[in-house]
Amino acid sequence: MQRIGVFVCWCGSNIAGTVDVHAVAEALKLEPGVVFSTDYQYMCSQAGQNIIKEAIAEHKLTGIVVCSCSPRMHEATFRKTAAAAGLNPYMVEIANIREQCSWVHKDMPIGTEKAIILGKAAIAKVNLNAPLTPGESPVTKRALVIGGGIAGIQTALDIADAGFPVDIVEKKPTIGGKMAQLDKTFPTLDCAACILTPKMVDVAQHDKIRIFSYSEVTEVKGFVGNFDVKIKKHARYVKEDVCTGCGDCVSKCPMKKVPNEFNLGMDNRHAIYIPFAQAVPKVATIDPNACNMIKNGKCGLCAKVCTAGAIDYTQKDEFIEEKYGAIVVATGYNHISMDKFDEFAYNQSKDVITSLEFERLTNAAGPTAGKLLRPSDGVHPHTIVFVQCVGSRCDACAEKGKEYCSKICCMYTAKHAMLTRDKYPDTDVYVFYIDVRTPGKNFDEFYRRAVEEYGVHYIKGMVGKVVPEGNKLKVQASDLLSNKQLHIDADLVVLAAAIEPDKSARPLATMLTASMDTNDFFTEAHPKLRPVESPTAGVFLSGACQGPKDIPETVSQAGAAASKVIGLLAKDKLTGNPCIAHSDEMMCNGCSSCERVCPYGAITYVDKEFRMPDRTTAIRRVASVNPAVCQGCGACTVACPSGAMDLKGFATSQIIAEVDAICK
Amino acid sequence: MSHNSNLQDDIIRMSGVNPRKCMRCGKCSATCPAYDEMEYHPHQFVNMVENGDIEPLLKSESLYRCLSCFACIERCPRSVEPAKLVEAVRLAVIRQQGANRMKPEDVAAIADDETPQQLLVSAFRKYSK
Ligand SMILES: Cc1cc2nc3c(=O)[nH]c(=O)nc-3n(C[C@H](O)[C@H](O)[C@H](O)COP(=O)(O)OP(=O)(O)OC[C@H]3O[C@@H](n4cnc5c(N)ncnc54)[C@H](O)[C@@H]3O)c2cc1C
Ligand code: SF4
Ligand code: SF4
Ligand code: SF4
Ligand code: SF4
């Protein structure tokens, strides 16, 4: 028989407000096995923990039940308390009487009754608990960063500077991400390239960092500390280690009408190309869909001009397998498609552009060498209309756009408007807004400067439609503050399109068993207290893949993710979770049901010799669980038709005892 | 400001519109082709119904300027559907005794041989009980 102690927490008034905590402690005193029961204001405080420790010693407790908040909050705390008092930490059970009781009930008698029932269930379980000892697993001291935007770059640099090797997998031919496409950056207006490219060079030169560009992760196996990852390096038809990035091949390539994705299709590139001058790695890539030599064997000019001999038309995709201790997701964002927003005539007129296209149009390395010219006729625009919140903050029923605020567009639109007025004072600039959202250090001041110093016309209202007519764009909009409908003849319309996670994020999340929200942003383990960790152990989050973010926020989060990774890689061994599956070999019939449902591939089968009742021996196939891989999800225990699989710490008998206690 | 909560409830129920969903972006009024003809613009309809400020709407000629083109419904990012409110207020008016906007005697004056019969039928549906 166990000797159980019960500790009921008030959580200030959080629990005590709707649960009569004394009554709960008194009622639970009568349960089988309970030898001590008390209540206290804050069980998790130093004083509260001391009450537990003293009771364990004084009453020789063999198990404890803490009636408090969710185990996600303080199970670890109370397990440590128990261990400090010499009790096996797995002899601790939490009855969640806050989130699942006091917070959802308003009525004291009902709340109290339910708290007692939850306490009884936990006591019934502790009566069947047995001490458990976690296993240990080694840690591979190498990190993988998926995505090479500013988020991935910063995370990789911080981890590598701490002395751990890092690999960056970037699907494009160069790292840099969206920031490489930006012109100047708010709120200080320093040029994006000037602050980004030195970091890209640091990455390239760091002896602890390897870059797999033009590559993708195709398979992830294993668990925290021990991930096995398969990386596919797409054939770029250029030997990366031989190419010097001189660009001689590019200028000779006759296929020069390929839309240039780096400039968002506003100009063309060649079939062999280097995305931009500061690309890292600075090597050429052949686009197999555009290259004549690869499509039909005719041409081969680039191989002739390349003095380094780097061109290889027969190159094949390559697979790399590597082990990692930690994985950081930094897959960033894209803006949504404008196809469903016919009212803005984006697909009808070249002069209706997105804000990212505007960045390229004003960038010195962009298609117009930094001169702001209309895409349709190359003429300098005199009236520009910016539209905020295009596709953001939409009702779910509207079936186009996103429900959330994209967070970055108010600030970059203020930036665009201000820079335009600064460089071209002869231009009239209108910004249509629903709300201007500029919280952040020096952000609102920045927006006010656009209005007060640069004379940008901010108009509260939305644009209803844009109609191309001759060489003008007829903009019809509302000005809510003066209760007027406005008609503006614009030369250029710029849409601040909502942003969304990269399309590859969802399949990647499936591979990593990392969770996502309904918008496909990666979910953090705790929205306040664990913002850079995914709920999946060993997987961390960096940058806009977790939610809309500007660069300052991205970089802080990237550093935070790196410090979490360093904390993990600094350990030699990880203590595992002892609550894992095990099969009773005498009952297992080797049917493979459990292997098929295990999401972590933890189950294998072994042929074992068994002594039969008639003294003969027989070889039988039985399931065997790899304790380092099993995450204790319990899927196998319900799949097993012979009841051979059970979960330590959550045995079927323990769960039935809890249910019985509740239904009694 | 007059607050008529009975009428407000009726109009909200008849239209099936939840005016609280409006985020005051003004896209409905930006898109409305009848804007200049209307005393109260689509976003004001939404706002006034939300505030129970119905009397002025009942009296307003704006009710009959709305083309029922549904552009505001199509474009509203919050799925508020302002034109359905306009329609509901219109119905509230013609449900009042003697408030018909169109009488059979008027037809001779406004219709000619070219007027499709369908138009007259729908006009009666819309403007009289
Ligand atoms: C028009 C515009 C202007 C802006 N101006 C500013 C500004 O002035 N100041 C500011 O602070 N912020 C600005 N921003 C925001 C800024 O772009 C972001 O904060 C920043 O780029 C986020 O960085 P990231 O690394 O998280 O994402 P990204 O820059 O999107 O990088 C993600 C990287 O991951 C790669 N990737 C994606 N999926 C995979 C995969 N499955 N496998 C491998 N690689 C993958 C992508 O190719 C990309 O290289 C602006 C944004 C826009 C749209
Ligand atoms: S940041 Fe501003 S422009 Fe962007 S969605 Fe939010 S409110 Fe709209
Ligand atoms: S509990 Fe079973 S199904 Fe779940 S990870 Fe462990 S072995 Fe696999
Ligand atoms: S478009 Fe919709 S959300 Fe915007 S003001 Fe009109 S009713 Fe309100
Ligand atoms: S339905 Fe009426 S209110 Fe709505 S846009 Fe058309 S004319 Fe304007």
Side-chain angles (χ1 to χ4, degrees):
Chain A
M1 193 70 182
Q2 307 277 19
R3 295 178 58 81
I4 299 170
V6 176
F7 303 88
V8 184
C9 181
W10 304 14
C11 195
S13 63
N14 269 303
I15 294 174
T18 20
V19 168
D20 181 344
V21 283
H22 304 296
V24 175
E26 284 307 310
L28 296 179
K29 242 180 209 156
L30 308 172
E31 285 302 293
V34 176
V35 295
F36 175 76
S37 180
T38 188
D39 57 83
Y40 182 67
Q41 231 163 0
Y42 292 103
M43 225 66 222
C44 59
S45 68
Q46 186 84 44
Q49 294 189 45
N50 284 340
I51 294 177
I52 298 179
K53 284 186 203 162
E54 282 157 21
I56 291 175
E58 189 176 330
H59 300 277
K60 301 196 175 51
L61 301 181
T62 60
I64 64 169
V65 168
V66 187
C67 302
S68 59
C69 51
S70 157
R72 290 192 57 152
M73 199 68 209
H74 277 312
E75 185 177 59
T77 315
F78 294 122
R79 279 186 174 161
K80 267 192 209 144
T81 314
L87 187 66
N88 182 286
Y90 293 89
M91 298 306 293
V92 176
E93 287 300 327
I94 309 287
N96 179 353
I97 61 164
R98 192 178 76 173
E99 285 83 344
Q100 292 176 354
C101 185
S102 68
W103 279 358
V104 287
H105 294 293
K106 291 198 174 71
D107 186 49
M108 177 81 88
I110 290 179
T112 307
E113 189 189 342
K114 180 162 168 188
I116 294 173
I117 293 174
L118 291 171
K120 285 181 179 176
I123 293 166
K125 188 172 179 224
V126 177
N127 267 309
L128 298 176
N129 275 17
L132 297 173
T133 317
E136 284 185 332
S137 57
V139 179
T140 305
K141 296 189 177 272
R142 182 183 295 111
L144 171 65
V145 175
I146 306 172
I150 180 63
I153 289 174
Q154 188 63 46
T155 302
L157 282 172
D158 288 350
I159 299 173
D161 282 343
F164 296 105
V166 187
D167 291 346
I168 300 179
V169 171
E170 165 58 56
K171 67 175 175 182
K172 304 244 172 82
T174 172
I175 59 170
K178 253 24 120 269
M179 189 174 167
Q181 289 171 293
L182 305 182
D183 181 33
K184 297 196 171 53
T185 52
F186 64 75
T188 42
L189 297 180
D190 22 17
C191 107
C194 318
I195 54 177
L196 176 68
T197 48
K199 279 192 187 288
M200 292 167 63
V201 174
D202 287 349
V203 167
Q205 291 176 348
H206 208 297
D207 60 348
K208 296 272 184 211
I209 303 181
R210 285 191 295 180
I211 304 171
F212 296 113
S213 60
Y214 213 38
S215 302
E216 275 167 280
V217 170
T218 57
E219 196 181 295
V220 180
K221 280 198 179 141
F223 53 97
V224 55
N226 294 278
F227 292 106
D228 290 297
V229 178
K230 202 183 231 182
I231 299 163
K232 179 179 182 179
K233 248 178 122 10
H234 292 283
R236 66 192 329 153
Y237 307 101
V238 174
K239 290 178 213 144
E240 236 177 88
D241 44 351
V242 179
C243 173
T244 60
C246 68
D248 286 350
C249 51
V250 176
S251 49
K252 293 288 167 347
C253 173
M255 304 302 293
K256 43 185 153 188
K257 284 264 146 61
V258 192
N260 181 358
E261 38 301 74
F262 188 72
N263 283 334
L264 303 158
M266 289 188 291
D267 66 354
N268 293 323
R269 60 161 170 81
H270 297 79
I272 186 164
Y273 65 107
I274 298 174
F276 56 99
Q278 297 81 17
V280 168
K282 187 151 185 205
V283 291
T285 303
I286 295 181
D287 176 349
N289 298 317
C291 167
N292 251 336
M293 187 66 188
I294 289 170
K295 282 199 297 189
N296 45 38
K298 296 201 185 88
C299 186
L301 256 177
C302 49
K304 288 197 194 96
V305 294
C306 177
T307 46
I311 312 287
D312 173 7
Y313 300 114
T314 63
Q315 206 176 55
K316 294 267 168 323
D317 293 348
E318 201 185 318
F319 286 91
I320 293 146
E321 286 178 35
E322 188 60 86
K323 279 188 166 302
Y324 299 98
I327 299 179
V328 183
V329 186
T331 47
Y333 73 97
N334 292 301
H335 65 65
I336 63 169
S337 150
M338 290 289 97
D339 288 352
K340 285 192 186 158
F341 297 87
D342 288 339
E343 62 264 40
F344 299 119
Y346 178 78
N347 290 329
Q348 284 158 263
S349 169
K350 280 185 161 181
D351 299 332
V352 179
I353 60 173
T354 64
S355 300
L356 199 55
E357 287 166 349
F358 187 85
E359 292 279 346
R360 295 313 298 154
L361 273 190
T362 47
N363 190 302
T368 53
K371 280 202 207 68
L372 181 55
L373 303 173
R374 285 164 40 120
S376 64
D377 53 12
V379 172
H380 166 59
H382 288 280
T383 304
I384 307 183
V385 169
F386 288 90
V387 190
Q388 294 196 166
C389 298
V390 175
S392 296
R393 309 171 63 187
C394 290
D395 182 63
C397 312
E399 279 175 12
K400 49 182 195 180
K402 303 290 175 184
E403 274 189 274
Y404 49 84
C405 162
S406 293
K407 199 172 181 182
I408 54 176
C409 10
C410 278
M411 277 303 283
Y412 71 57
T413 300
K415 168 184 83 172
H416 293 162
M418 182 192 290
L419 289 172
T420 306
R421 289 281 301 157
D422 182 42
K423 211 163 163 193
Y424 309 99
D426 62 334
T427 326
D428 260 335
V429 175
Y430 297 87
V431 174
F432 284 90
Y433 70 92
I434 306 174
D435 300 287
V436 179
R437 295 182 165 169
T438 47
K441 194 167 164 182
N442 295 325
F443 280 19
D444 207 59
E445 297 91 317
F446 182 87
Y447 146 62
R448 289 313 305 166
R449 246 173 49 224
V451 178
E452 292 169 27
E453 276 175 44
Y454 291 89
V456 176
H457 308 299
Y458 266 78
I459 299 172
K460 159 88 186 155
M462 221 5 196
V463 169
K465 61 180 177 182
V466 177
V467 182
E469 219 177 276
N471 58 1
K472 289 283 178 194
L473 297 163
K474 299 266 180 202
V475 176
Q476 182 178 309
S478 59
D479 177 342
L480 291 177
L481 296 183
S482 47
N483 203 9
K484 269 200 253 161
Q485 194 177 59
L486 301 181
H487 298 268
I488 299 170
D489 284 349
D491 300 311
L492 190 69
V493 170
V494 186
L495 308 176
I499 63 174
E500 65 181 355
D502 194 88
K503 295 275 186 246
S504 68
R506 184 153 283 273
L508 185 65
T510 310
M511 260 187 263
L512 294 166
T513 66
S515 48
M516 294 191 126
D517 62 20
T518 47
N519 295 311
D520 281 6
F521 286 114
F522 282 87
T523 318
E524 54 286 353
H526 189 286
K528 283 159 263 181
L529 302 178
R530 294 174 66 193
V532 299
E533 292 153 89
S534 147
T536 302
V539 176
F540 302 87
L541 310 174
S542 175
C545 66
Q546 181 258 346
K549 267 181 206 69
D550 55 26
I551 297 164
E553 248 191 295
T554 298
V555 172
S556 345
Q557 201 204 14
S563 80
K564 290 285 167 193
V565 170
I566 294 164
L568 171 63
L569 298 188
K571 295 192 177 116
D572 291 324
K573 286 199 180 334
L574 292 177
T575 35
N577 166 18
C579 300
I580 51 171
H582 64 107
S583 88
D584 182 338
E585 290 174 344
M586 296 314 283
M587 284 161 86
C588 172
N589 64 19
C591 68
S592 292
S593 302
C594 55
E595 184 200 13
R596 279 196 291 270
V597 297
C598 177
Y600 304 97
I603 301 174
T604 49
Y605 292 87
V606 286
D607 289 325
K608 252 189 155 169
E609 207 175 288
F610 288 89
R611 292 220 323 197
M612 304 307 276
D614 58 359
R615 290 173 182 275
T616 58
T617 59
I619 306 265
R620 276 179 41 225
R621 178 176 186 267
V622 292
S624 152
V625 177
N626 180 344
V629 181
C630 173
Q631 299 290 306
C633 71
C636 54
T637 63
V638 279
C640 176
S642 19
M645 269 293 176
D646 214 348
L647 211 55
K648 289 185 197 156
F650 291 94
T652 311
S653 57
Q654 290 176 297
I655 291 168
I656 302 272
E658 282 185 285
V659 176
D660 282 348
I662 290 171
C663 301
K664 211 160 40 190
Chain B
M1 197 194 287
S2 65
H3 186 96
N4 189 332
S5 58
N6 276 346
L7 250 182
Q8 182 190 30
D9 289 348
D10 281 350
I11 282 161
I12 288 176
R13 186 176 39 79
M14 276 194 278
S15 61
V17 165
N18 177 4
R20 289 188 195 158
K21 288 178 82 168
C22 172
M23 64 168 163
R24 323 259 186 264
C25 71
K27 197 167 179 182
C28 47
S29 293
T31 219
C32 178
Y35 185 97
D36 290 336
E37 321 271 306
M38 290 170 92
E39 169 194 7
Y40 299 116
H41 305 121
H43 75 277
Q44 288 174 288
F45 261 88
V46 179
N47 194 232
M48 289 165 80
V49 172
E50 189 182 342
N51 294 331
D53 194 11
I54 316 284
E55 304 295 338
L57 291 178
L58 292 171
K59 293 192 205 99
S60 173
E61 277 301 299
S62 303
L63 292 178
Y64 314 101
R65 299 292 168 262
C66 165
L67 305 168
S68 298
C69 69
F70 288 10
C72 51
I73 293 188
E74 169 68 21
R75 306 274 157 79
C76 170
R78 304 290 318 162
S79 313
V80 175
E81 309 189 307
K84 288 194 181 167
L85 280 182
V86 180
E87 176 69 13
V89 178
R90 208 152 39 203
L91 278 174
V93 172
I94 60 172
R95 280 180 188 179
Q96 292 168 345
Q97 280 295 335
N100 291 354
R101 294 280 303 178
M102 204 170 144
K103 300 192 179 69
E105 304 87 84
D106 303 338
V107 174
I110 49 178
D112 56 29
D113 291 350
E114 304 279 294
T115 313
Q117 198 174 356
Q118 190 69 39
L119 180 78
L120 292 175
V121 174
S122 24
F124 270 113
R125 278 216 185 113
K126 203 160 188 173
Y127 296 124
S128 61
K129 245 197 301 194

